[in-house]
mmCIF file of all heavy atoms in Angstrom:
data_model
loop_
_atom_site.group_PDB
_atom_site.id
_atom_site.type_symbol
_atom_site.label_atom_id
_atom_site.label_comp_id
_atom_site.label_asym_id
_atom_site.label_seq_id
_atom_site.Cartn_x
_atom_site.Cartn_y
_atom_site.Cartn_z
ATOM 1 N N PHE A 241 -9.589 10.722 -9.357
ATOM 2 C CA PHE A 241 -8.505 9.847 -9.880
ATOM 3 C C PHE A 241 -7.329 9.844 -8.991
ATOM 4 O O PHE A 241 -6.755 8.782 -8.644
ATOM 5 C CB PHE A 241 -8.127 10.306 -11.286
ATOM 6 C CG PHE A 241 -7.078 9.434 -11.938
ATOM 7 C CD1 PHE A 241 -7.200 8.015 -11.902
ATOM 8 C CD2 PHE A 241 -6.029 10.001 -12.634
ATOM 9 C CE1 PHE A 241 -6.201 7.259 -12.561
ATOM 10 C CE2 PHE A 241 -5.048 9.220 -13.243
ATOM 11 C CZ PHE A 241 -5.150 7.806 -13.201
ATOM 12 N N GLU A 242 -6.893 11.026 -8.485
ATOM 13 C CA GLU A 242 -5.771 11.124 -7.608
ATOM 14 C C GLU A 242 -6.096 10.453 -6.258
ATOM 15 O O GLU A 242 -5.174 9.784 -5.674
ATOM 16 C CB GLU A 242 -5.358 12.581 -7.366
ATOM 17 C CG GLU A 242 -4.828 13.260 -8.644
ATOM 18 C CD GLU A 242 -3.562 12.571 -9.178
ATOM 19 O OE1 GLU A 242 -2.743 12.123 -8.384
ATOM 20 O OE2 GLU A 242 -3.445 12.504 -10.425
ATOM 21 N N ILE A 243 -7.294 10.617 -5.766
ATOM 22 C CA ILE A 243 -7.660 9.956 -4.530
ATOM 23 C C ILE A 243 -7.611 8.418 -4.693
ATOM 24 O O ILE A 243 -7.129 7.683 -3.768
ATOM 25 C CB ILE A 243 -9.077 10.417 -4.069
ATOM 26 C CG1 ILE A 243 -9.037 11.819 -3.539
ATOM 27 C CG2 ILE A 243 -9.638 9.463 -2.970
ATOM 28 C CD1 ILE A 243 -8.216 12.008 -2.265
ATOM 29 N N THR A 244 -8.089 7.958 -5.815
ATOM 30 C CA THR A 244 -8.061 6.501 -6.063
ATOM 31 C C THR A 244 -6.606 5.967 -6.129
ATOM 32 O O THR A 244 -6.302 4.914 -5.495
ATOM 33 C CB THR A 244 -8.809 6.179 -7.361
ATOM 34 O OG1 THR A 244 -10.141 6.637 -7.318
ATOM 35 C CG2 THR A 244 -8.802 4.672 -7.644
ATOM 36 N N LYS A 245 -5.728 6.667 -6.792
ATOM 37 C CA LYS A 245 -4.335 6.328 -6.806
ATOM 38 C C LYS A 245 -3.766 6.289 -5.389
ATOM 39 O O LYS A 245 -3.003 5.368 -5.040
ATOM 40 C CB LYS A 245 -3.558 7.285 -7.696
ATOM 41 C CG LYS A 245 -3.758 7.143 -9.190
ATOM 42 C CD LYS A 245 -3.257 8.365 -9.924
ATOM 43 C CE LYS A 245 -1.845 8.715 -9.551
ATOM 44 N NZ LYS A 245 -1.415 9.962 -10.253
ATOM 45 N N HIS A 246 -4.095 7.322 -4.638
ATOM 46 C CA HIS A 246 -3.598 7.396 -3.239
ATOM 47 C C HIS A 246 -4.030 6.165 -2.445
ATOM 48 O O HIS A 246 -3.221 5.582 -1.711
ATOM 49 C CB HIS A 246 -4.110 8.705 -2.592
ATOM 50 C CG HIS A 246 -3.725 8.845 -1.174
ATOM 51 N ND1 HIS A 246 -2.609 9.520 -0.732
ATOM 52 C CD2 HIS A 246 -4.330 8.435 -0.016
ATOM 53 C CE1 HIS A 246 -2.515 9.475 0.567
ATOM 54 N NE2 HIS A 246 -3.593 8.875 1.034
ATOM 55 N N GLU A 247 -5.298 5.839 -2.555
ATOM 56 C CA GLU A 247 -5.806 4.676 -1.810
ATOM 57 C C GLU A 247 -5.153 3.391 -2.229
ATOM 58 O O GLU A 247 -4.773 2.550 -1.373
ATOM 59 C CB GLU A 247 -7.306 4.596 -2.015
ATOM 60 C CG GLU A 247 -8.128 5.739 -1.396
ATOM 61 C CD GLU A 247 -9.586 5.690 -1.775
ATOM 62 O OE1 GLU A 247 -9.963 4.900 -2.684
ATOM 63 O OE2 GLU A 247 -10.381 6.476 -1.189
ATOM 64 N N LEU A 248 -4.953 3.222 -3.572
ATOM 65 C CA LEU A 248 -4.341 1.988 -3.955
ATOM 66 C C LEU A 248 -2.885 1.879 -3.583
ATOM 67 O O LEU A 248 -2.378 0.788 -3.176
ATOM 68 C CB LEU A 248 -4.419 1.889 -5.527
ATOM 69 C CG LEU A 248 -5.839 1.690 -6.064
ATOM 70 C CD1 LEU A 248 -5.791 1.768 -7.631
ATOM 71 C CD2 LEU A 248 -6.404 0.325 -5.657
ATOM 72 N N PHE A 249 -2.198 3.024 -3.570
ATOM 73 C CA PHE A 249 -0.798 3.050 -3.131
ATOM 74 C C PHE A 249 -0.703 2.666 -1.660
ATOM 75 O O PHE A 249 0.140 1.919 -1.207
ATOM 76 C CB PHE A 249 -0.206 4.417 -3.362
ATOM 77 C CG PHE A 249 1.288 4.517 -3.064
ATOM 78 C CD1 PHE A 249 2.230 4.225 -4.069
ATOM 79 C CD2 PHE A 249 1.756 4.834 -1.779
ATOM 80 C CE1 PHE A 249 3.571 4.296 -3.773
ATOM 81 C CE2 PHE A 249 3.051 4.910 -1.510
ATOM 82 C CZ PHE A 249 4.015 4.629 -2.498
ATOM 83 N N GLN A 250 -1.617 3.222 -0.877
ATOM 84 C CA GLN A 250 -1.638 2.961 0.587
ATOM 85 C C GLN A 250 -1.905 1.496 0.830
ATOM 86 O O GLN A 250 -1.291 0.836 1.625
ATOM 87 C CB GLN A 250 -2.663 3.841 1.256
ATOM 88 C CG GLN A 250 -3.049 3.416 2.664
ATOM 89 C CD GLN A 250 -1.951 3.618 3.686
ATOM 90 O OE1 GLN A 250 -0.971 4.381 3.401
ATOM 91 N NE2 GLN A 250 -2.026 2.945 4.801
ATOM 92 N N GLU A 251 -2.924 0.963 0.167
ATOM 93 C CA GLU A 251 -3.388 -0.426 0.406
ATOM 94 C C GLU A 251 -2.412 -1.452 -0.191
ATOM 95 O O GLU A 251 -2.132 -2.500 0.467
ATOM 96 C CB GLU A 251 -4.787 -0.630 -0.196
ATOM 97 C CG GLU A 251 -5.840 0.255 0.422
ATOM 98 C CD GLU A 251 -7.110 0.266 -0.383
ATOM 99 O OE1 GLU A 251 -7.264 -0.601 -1.306
ATOM 100 O OE2 GLU A 251 -8.003 1.088 -0.110
ATOM 101 N N ARG A 252 -1.912 -1.185 -1.394
ATOM 102 C CA ARG A 252 -1.186 -2.212 -2.126
ATOM 103 C C ARG A 252 0.316 -2.129 -1.928
ATOM 104 O O ARG A 252 1.004 -3.154 -2.123
ATOM 105 C CB ARG A 252 -1.591 -2.165 -3.572
ATOM 106 C CG ARG A 252 -3.073 -2.473 -3.794
ATOM 107 C CD ARG A 252 -3.474 -2.439 -5.246
ATOM 108 N NE ARG A 252 -4.841 -2.907 -5.444
ATOM 109 C CZ ARG A 252 -5.443 -3.034 -6.596
ATOM 110 N NH1 ARG A 252 -4.773 -2.762 -7.716
ATOM 111 N NH2 ARG A 252 -6.681 -3.492 -6.671
ATOM 112 N N PHE A 253 0.831 -0.951 -1.659
ATOM 113 C CA PHE A 253 2.262 -0.837 -1.409
ATOM 114 C C PHE A 253 2.554 -0.699 0.077
ATOM 115 O O PHE A 253 3.181 -1.588 0.702
ATOM 116 C CB PHE A 253 2.901 0.284 -2.177
ATOM 117 C CG PHE A 253 4.374 0.449 -1.884
ATOM 118 C CD1 PHE A 253 5.273 -0.495 -2.365
ATOM 119 C CD2 PHE A 253 4.827 1.462 -1.043
ATOM 120 C CE1 PHE A 253 6.643 -0.395 -2.035
ATOM 121 C CE2 PHE A 253 6.191 1.545 -0.754
ATOM 122 C CZ PHE A 253 7.113 0.633 -1.233
ATOM 123 N N VAL A 254 2.051 0.376 0.717
ATOM 124 C CA VAL A 254 2.429 0.623 2.109
ATOM 125 C C VAL A 254 1.901 -0.484 3.010
ATOM 126 O O VAL A 254 2.684 -1.049 3.809
ATOM 127 C CB VAL A 254 1.858 1.967 2.566
ATOM 128 C CG1 VAL A 254 2.178 2.189 4.048
ATOM 129 C CG2 VAL A 254 2.482 3.130 1.703
ATOM 130 N N ALA A 255 0.639 -0.842 2.887
ATOM 131 C CA ALA A 255 0.058 -1.893 3.754
ATOM 132 C C ALA A 255 0.678 -3.246 3.454
ATOM 133 O O ALA A 255 0.917 -4.036 4.420
ATOM 134 C CB ALA A 255 -1.429 -1.946 3.609
ATOM 135 N N THR A 256 0.963 -3.558 2.234
ATOM 136 C CA THR A 256 1.602 -4.823 1.868
ATOM 137 C C THR A 256 3.019 -4.942 2.455
ATOM 138 O O THR A 256 3.433 -5.943 3.028
ATOM 139 C CB THR A 256 1.657 -5.061 0.358
ATOM 140 O OG1 THR A 256 0.316 -4.990 -0.183
ATOM 141 C CG2 THR A 256 2.248 -6.381 0.005
ATOM 142 N N PHE A 257 3.724 -3.818 2.408
ATOM 143 C CA PHE A 257 5.050 -3.747 2.961
ATOM 144 C C PHE A 257 5.006 -3.914 4.488
ATOM 145 O O PHE A 257 5.794 -4.708 5.082
ATOM 146 C CB PHE A 257 5.708 -2.426 2.574
ATOM 147 C CG PHE A 257 7.041 -2.161 3.166
ATOM 148 C CD1 PHE A 257 8.043 -3.142 3.205
ATOM 149 C CD2 PHE A 257 7.430 -0.915 3.654
ATOM 150 C CE1 PHE A 257 9.286 -2.950 3.729
ATOM 151 C CE2 PHE A 257 8.648 -0.702 4.230
ATOM 152 C CZ PHE A 257 9.589 -1.675 4.250
ATOM 153 N N ALA A 258 4.095 -3.239 5.145
ATOM 154 C CA ALA A 258 3.951 -3.328 6.602
ATOM 155 C C ALA A 258 3.607 -4.718 7.027
ATOM 156 O O ALA A 258 4.108 -5.264 8.036
ATOM 157 C CB ALA A 258 2.906 -2.309 7.089
ATOM 158 N N SER A 259 2.655 -5.375 6.281
ATOM 159 C CA SER A 259 2.258 -6.710 6.583
ATOM 160 C C SER A 259 3.407 -7.712 6.447
ATOM 161 O O SER A 259 3.615 -8.618 7.283
ATOM 162 C CB SER A 259 1.066 -7.150 5.690
ATOM 163 O OG SER A 259 0.694 -8.466 5.927
ATOM 164 N N TRP A 260 4.198 -7.497 5.421
ATOM 165 C CA TRP A 260 5.334 -8.377 5.170
ATOM 166 C C TRP A 260 6.367 -8.235 6.351
ATOM 167 O O TRP A 260 6.865 -9.273 6.825
ATOM 168 C CB TRP A 260 6.033 -8.015 3.868
ATOM 169 C CG TRP A 260 7.296 -8.733 3.555
ATOM 170 C CD1 TRP A 260 7.387 -9.945 2.970
ATOM 171 C CD2 TRP A 260 8.648 -8.194 3.709
ATOM 172 N NE1 TRP A 260 8.741 -10.253 2.820
ATOM 173 C CE2 TRP A 260 9.497 -9.216 3.237
ATOM 174 C CE3 TRP A 260 9.160 -7.027 4.214
ATOM 175 C CZ2 TRP A 260 10.887 -9.050 3.259
ATOM 176 C CZ3 TRP A 260 10.501 -6.869 4.265
ATOM 177 C CH2 TRP A 260 11.360 -7.877 3.815
ATOM 178 N N CYS A 261 6.592 -7.014 6.802
ATOM 179 C CA CYS A 261 7.474 -6.839 7.943
ATOM 180 C C CYS A 261 6.936 -7.487 9.181
ATOM 181 O O CYS A 261 7.711 -8.095 9.944
ATOM 182 C CB CYS A 261 7.694 -5.318 8.153
ATOM 183 S SG CYS A 261 8.736 -4.485 6.952
ATOM 184 N N THR A 262 5.616 -7.357 9.409
ATOM 185 C CA THR A 262 5.021 -7.953 10.592
ATOM 186 C C THR A 262 5.166 -9.465 10.541
ATOM 187 O O THR A 262 5.508 -10.121 11.573
ATOM 188 C CB THR A 262 3.548 -7.573 10.711
ATOM 189 O OG1 THR A 262 3.445 -6.156 10.792
ATOM 190 C CG2 THR A 262 2.898 -8.225 11.916
ATOM 191 N N ARG A 263 4.902 -10.080 9.420
ATOM 192 C CA ARG A 263 5.045 -11.535 9.303
ATOM 193 C C ARG A 263 6.465 -12.014 9.554
ATOM 194 O O ARG A 263 6.713 -12.975 10.279
ATOM 195 C CB ARG A 263 4.620 -12.028 7.917
ATOM 196 C CG ARG A 263 3.117 -11.902 7.602
ATOM 197 C CD ARG A 263 2.724 -12.783 6.454
ATOM 198 N NE ARG A 263 3.606 -12.635 5.287
ATOM 199 C CZ ARG A 263 3.468 -11.673 4.373
ATOM 200 N NH1 ARG A 263 2.502 -10.789 4.475
ATOM 201 N NH2 ARG A 263 4.300 -11.613 3.329
ATOM 202 N N ASN A 264 7.415 -11.272 9.076
ATOM 203 C CA ASN A 264 8.824 -11.671 9.238
ATOM 204 C C ASN A 264 9.313 -11.357 10.653
ATOM 205 O O ASN A 264 10.223 -12.073 11.205
ATOM 206 C CB ASN A 264 9.714 -10.986 8.181
ATOM 207 C CG ASN A 264 9.633 -11.653 6.891
ATOM 208 O OD1 ASN A 264 10.249 -12.732 6.664
ATOM 209 N ND2 ASN A 264 8.894 -11.094 5.973
#
C-alpha cells in the first residue's frame, strides 16, 4: 500500500509539476 502511494505521488504530483514547469 505504501509503495502504491509512493508511485502515485511521484507520477501524479512530482511528474505533473515537472511537466508543467517544462511546458511553461
Side-chain angles (χ1 to χ4, degrees):
F241 181 47
E242 294 299 322
I243 287 294
T244 301
K245 288 165 51 184
H246 176 92
E247 292 172 352
L248 291 175
F249 186 90
Q250 166 68 19
E251 296 166 12
R252 296 181 173 184
F253 177 72
V254 176
T256 303
F257 177 43
S259 176
W260 176 83
C261 286
T262 300
R263 290 198 312 273
N264 282 283

